[in-house]
Amino acid sequence: MRNEWQSVLDEIGRNVSDMAFATYFSNLKLASNKNNILTIEVPNVFIKAQIEGKYNPVVIRALKTIGIKYDQIKLTESKTERKTTRRSIEVLPESKPTRKAETHTITSNRLVARDNGLNPKYRFDNYIVGSNNDLAVSAAHAIVEHPGERYNPYFIYGGPGLGKTHLIQAIGNELIKQNPNMKILYVTIEQFYHDFVEAMRKKLDGFTDKYRKLDVLIIDDFQFIVGKEKSQDEFFHTFNELHQKNKQIIVSSDRLPTQIATVDERLSSRLMMGVPIDIQLPDFEVRCAILKSKAELLGVDIENRAIEYLAENIKSNIRDLEGKLNQLLALSELRGVSPSDLIEDGYIEEAIYTKRRVVSPKQLIDKVAKYYNLPSKEILGKSRVKHIKSARQVVMYLLNEELNLSTVRIGTELSKDHSTVIHGIRKIKQDLKLDFSLREQIADLREKIYVS
């Protein structure tokens, strides 16, 4: 059976990327195949969630190809790998790591780096991959394999709470793991700015050495460089020197450089030299996987009913999703009832979820029409004028995303055929990847359509 299992792994390896195999499959072990239940040991809950949520078809296909018969697949965490979980429950949502106000000390008129700024909890094996971020993750793995060669600079962008900080720090942690002597520094653009100002104010040496003698520079929250002209200039020269030496540059932002006001055109073009990659909102399946992983990390059993309810109703970002889970678990512990019972009894609906329960399609259409200063009849009409057509497509998108209406039902509400609705929804989804202005409009509308 051991040889057959190795054949299964070999077959999986032929159907996924090398990095995906190394991350999710290389440490899988066949525990048993008794009573037609195939039990597979996985290193941790995060890999378990990924295989169950994304790679299950790949595993099933490989087992079928090799000819292993079974009725059920069971994934179980390896006892030797399982860590002790916390019994207490966090009430606040997980956010970016708290950092000390200063990341350097001043000694002998020089800036001395205290650490690399990386938080070791941000790793690839606890980062949930889905259709919303798979390209960004694939590029991240390519950087680990060939730092400074591919995707340099690596620029990722997307709204808050979507996992950008986790991913860029995971790259740094993996590079350090492979080469402990590599000089890596993670800072926010605010920290870069404060270091620069401090060095100028006190005429300190060492700023250039700190940033220009690195192997990897990781900059977070680049959008906050707005209005800091001298810091932009310094970052521009730092970028040029590192890039000239084939050193890896990693930058995250909530939007593209070209969409950030006052960013120097030269700097913007440098950052766009690589392939900017966006991270989108996670879909329903990914949100479920994130919640399951978080609950298991906390050592808490939570019913699928509660997981799916949260995933269906919290669509803003991962940070909010985890925060609502923590809130639900804390309330569950306090009242001594299960999360599902809390949901059934309505303890949290009024505070969190009632807004999605009361909005009708007509109300949503009216709100969107008002937002774009249009009469509702224009949205429902046949006008092909660009701004009216775009508003109509936004309505289609929101009816589908927010009210979970089928494309057939949306067509009925708008008196449009099925194919027109499908095209409209796809158009908005595609535009959201690059149009930051549209992202802000959709975020605004999500709030406004639920206001009485």
Side-chain angles (χ1 to χ4, degrees), residues 205-247:
D205 298 327
F207 177 85
T208 300
D209 288 348
K210 177 179 178 179
Y211 284 97
R212 299 190 190 182
K213 292 189 176 181
L214 295 169
D215 297 309
V216 182
L217 173 60
I218 305 173
I219 297 286
D220 205 355
D221 291 329
F222 179 77
Q223 68 273 10
F224 293 121
I225 203 167
V226 171
K228 301 175 175 68
E229 294 181 6
K230 290 187 179 298
S231 294
Q232 285 189 43
D233 192 54
E234 179 61 32
F235 183 69
F236 173 78
H237 293 299
T238 298
F239 180 102
N240 282 344
E241 183 157 340
L242 290 174
H243 198 269
Q244 186 84 14
K245 297 175 182 176
N246 293 321
K247 304 302 182 181

Side-chain angles (χ1 to χ4, degrees), residues 178-191:
Q178 294 186 10
N179 184 358
N181 295 322
M182 185 170 278
K183 296 178 182 178
I184 298 176
L185 180 63
Y186 163 88
V187 293
T188 65
I189 199 67
E190 284 284 343
Q191 290 165 325

Side-chain angles (χ1 to χ4, degrees), residues 4-175:
E4 288 181 322
W5 178 244
Q6 185 57 52
S7 298
V8 170
L9 293 178
D10 292 341
E11 181 64 22
I12 291 172
R14 284 190 281 272
N15 290 282
V16 301
S17 68
D18 291 343
M19 286 307 299
F21 183 84
T23 302
Y24 303 116
F25 297 100
S26 59
N27 293 316
L28 297 190
K29 297 177 182 178
L30 180 63
S32 65
N33 189 5
K34 298 178 181 178
N35 301 320
N36 288 327
I37 298 177
L38 191 70
T39 303
I40 301 172
E41 282 192 1
V42 298
N44 55 56
V45 62
F46 302 101
I47 291 178
K48 178 183 177 185
Q50 287 295 89
I51 293 174
E52 288 177 339
K54 182 176 181 180
Y55 292 107
N56 191 48
V58 176
V59 175
I60 291 174
R61 190 162 56 245
L63 290 168
K64 184 177 181 180
T65 300
I66 303 304
I68 295 180
K69 299 186 181 299
Y70 63 94
D71 291 330
Q72 178 186 349
I73 298 176
K74 181 180 179 182
L75 300 181
T76 180
E77 291 178 69
S78 171
K79 292 180 181 179
T80 57
E81 295 287 340
R82 187 179 300 160
K83 296 180 181 179
T84 303
T85 54
R86 292 174 290 170
R87 299 182 66 181
S88 60
I89 297 173
E90 296 175 293
V91 177
L92 296 176
E94 186 175 71
S95 59
K96 293 181 182 180
T98 301
R99 294 177 54 80
K100 296 181 180 180
E102 294 184 354
T103 56
H104 58 265
T105 54
I106 301 173
T107 306
S108 301
N109 205 37
R110 294 183 62 83
L111 292 171
V112 181
R114 182 175 290 171
D115 56 33
N116 59 26
L118 295 169
N119 188 323
K121 75 176 181 179
Y122 291 131
R123 309 183 307 275
F124 283 132
D125 65 358
N126 61 9
Y127 189 78
I128 301 296
V129 183
S131 59
N132 64 307
N133 60 16
D134 53 354
L135 179 58
V137 173
S138 296
H141 283 302
I143 289 170
V144 170
E145 289 182 337
H146 305 286
E149 297 179 20
R150 301 178 62 186
Y151 301 102
N152 193 25
Y154 176 67
F155 188 97
I156 63 170
Y157 64 101
L162 297 182
K164 300 186 299 296
T165 295
H166 186 145
L167 184 57
I168 61 177
Q169 291 209 42
I171 297 172
N173 282 319
E174 186 63 28
L175 287 169

Side-chain angles (χ1 to χ4, degrees), residues 376-389:
S376 296
K377 64 181 181 180
E378 293 281 15
I379 299 288
L380 300 171
K382 297 181 179 180
S383 174
R384 306 290 295 173
V385 176
K386 185 177 179 181
H387 73 280
I388 297 175
K389 182 181 175 182

Side-chain angles (χ1 to χ4, degrees), residues 342-381:
L342 280 174
I343 290 171
E344 292 292 340
D345 292 343
Y347 280 116
I348 60 174
E349 277 192 12
E350 186 175 348
I352 305 173
Y353 307 110
T354 46
K355 62 181 185 180
R356 282 184 171 79
R357 190 177 54 192
V358 300
V359 176
S360 69
K362 183 181 184 307
Q363 288 172 317
L364 188 147
I365 293 168
D366 290 344
K367 291 280 187 179
V368 175
K370 182 178 180 181
Y371 183 82
Y372 288 112
N373 295 315
L374 294 170
S376 296
K377 64 181 181 180
E378 293 281 15
I379 299 288
L380 300 171

